[in-house]
Amino acid sequence: MAHCGCAKMCARLCGYGKKVYICIRIETGNSMDVKIDESWKRHIGAEFDKPYFASLAAFVRDEYRRHRCYPPGRLIFNAFNLCPFDRVKAVIIGQDPYHEPGQAHGLCFSVNDGVAFPPSLVNIFKEVQADTGALAPQSGSLVRWAEQGVLLLNATLTVREHAAGSHQGHGWEEFTDAAIKALSAGREHLAFILWGSYAQSKAKLIDQSRHLVLRSAHPSPLSAYRGFFGNHHFSLANQYLEKYGIEPVKW
């Protein structure tokens, strides 16, 4: 049987003829070693030893074994691995991954190269162009944002195919809330961008005396014309970053 190369027992996620890995190494007892950027591990590593995370890992392993789920196991923590803790300058919060084939790759609102743009992403690019003058890109991948320090964080990091919200309420929200709280307490002058009521509910986790919090309607077609278009969040975030001597994002 193929393995991921971990020295210790690996939690394999196997399904539909493919072997993918969440790379959670089982240590002694309930202790786990999650393959996530070391800077994040220093700040939220304690979460991996909590009972809820053991239950979450068991749930995710079972879901990937029994169903087709997204993103691929190796990309579950992609947002963290592309954007280390100390490099974060802005945070965009989504709800859960895209649930159709080929779309999700671990960054909220982002899709893989060559995949048709989902409606919300189309509207995001429209607002970027209207706000900053930047032309809409050919690719829907937002890796370029993540590599500049934009944490593209879904509150729930996995989902079952064709079943939006199917992995909510199993522990991911506790984990991602811990990441938001760690950023709020451990960093200064970050721009948190909250679109829609769900993302805005995370504002309570953020120290707004230390960070900028931008709120508006969600970019989905159902709400984009009720306050997302014209929110100027991209230019406002950059103005805030520049005020504190932080390099702006090339949206």
Side-chain angles (χ1 to χ4, degrees):
M1 180 177 291
H3 62 86
C4 69
C6 291
K8 305 210 186 281
M9 185 183 298
C10 212
R12 285 187 290 271
L13 305 179
C14 306
Y16 285 86
K18 296 181 179 180
K19 294 182 176 65
V20 294
Y21 304 93
I22 191 172
C23 266
I24 298 176
R25 295 191 298 180
I26 310 301
E27 304 285 346
T28 59
N30 289 325
S31 182
M32 299 184 183
D33 180 18
V34 176
K35 290 298 183 182
I36 192 172
D37 181 84
E38 285 297 322
S39 68
W40 282 102
K41 194 173 289 187
R42 288 194 297 272
H43 290 276
I44 59 173
E47 299 301 308
F48 305 135
D49 294 332
K50 294 181 179 179
Y52 86 85
F53 199 87
S55 297
L56 170 62
F59 167 77
V60 172
R61 285 196 300 269
D62 188 58
E63 281 287 295
Y64 274 72
R65 181 180 60 82
R66 296 173 55 220
H67 307 283
R68 192 184 298 275
C69 296
Y70 303 117
R74 71 185 186 281
L75 297 178
I76 290 173
F77 299 104
N78 202 25
F80 299 96
N81 292 328
L82 289 175
C83 190
F85 183 91
D86 297 322
R87 290 186 53 210
V88 176
K89 61 179 70 169
V91 182
I92 297 177
I93 298 175
Q95 192 158 356
D96 65 351
Y98 294 123
H99 52 82
E100 297 303 323
Q103 293 180 312
H105 62 135
L107 307 176
C108 72
F109 296 106
S110 179
V111 292
N112 283 300
D113 288 336
V115 175
F117 298 178
S120 291
L121 187 58
V122 170
N123 289 337
I124 288 169
F125 288 151
K126 285 180 180 179
E127 178 59 22
V128 169
Q129 184 168 2
D131 188 19
T132 71
L135 297 178
Q138 297 299 308
S139 170
S141 171
L142 301 181
V143 167
R144 63 190 181 279
W145 290 5
E147 291 177 340
Q148 293 179 75
V150 182
L151 181 66
L152 296 160
L153 181 65
N154 276 314
T156 302
L157 298 186
T158 58
V159 70
R160 189 188 300 177
E161 186 177 58
H162 309 315
S166 52
H167 289 186
Q168 292 175 11
H170 291 275
W172 278 131
E173 296 90 342
E174 186 170 350
F175 175 72
T176 53
D177 280 0
I180 295 168
K181 288 187 282 190
L183 285 170
S184 177
R187 296 290 310 281
E188 290 186 335
H189 311 314
L190 303 182
F192 287 85
I193 298 173
L194 311 180
W195 296 328
S197 58
Y198 183 83
Q200 290 175 38
S201 72
K202 305 297 182 179
K204 64 182 180 293
L205 307 174
I206 304 163
D207 183 347
Q208 296 180 49
S209 70
R210 296 161 59 94
H211 306 285
L212 174 68
V213 176
L214 297 170
R215 303 172 175 87
S216 81
H218 194 275
S220 76
L222 295 175
S223 57
Y225 287 96
R226 298 203 296 267
F228 176 78
F229 289 133
N231 65 19
H232 300 290
H233 280 183
F234 303 102
S235 60
L236 289 171
N238 276 351
Q239 289 168 20
Y240 178 81
L241 295 173
E242 289 183 289
K243 176 182 176 180
Y244 291 101
I246 302 167
E247 185 176 359
V249 177
K250 295 177 182 176
W251 302 106

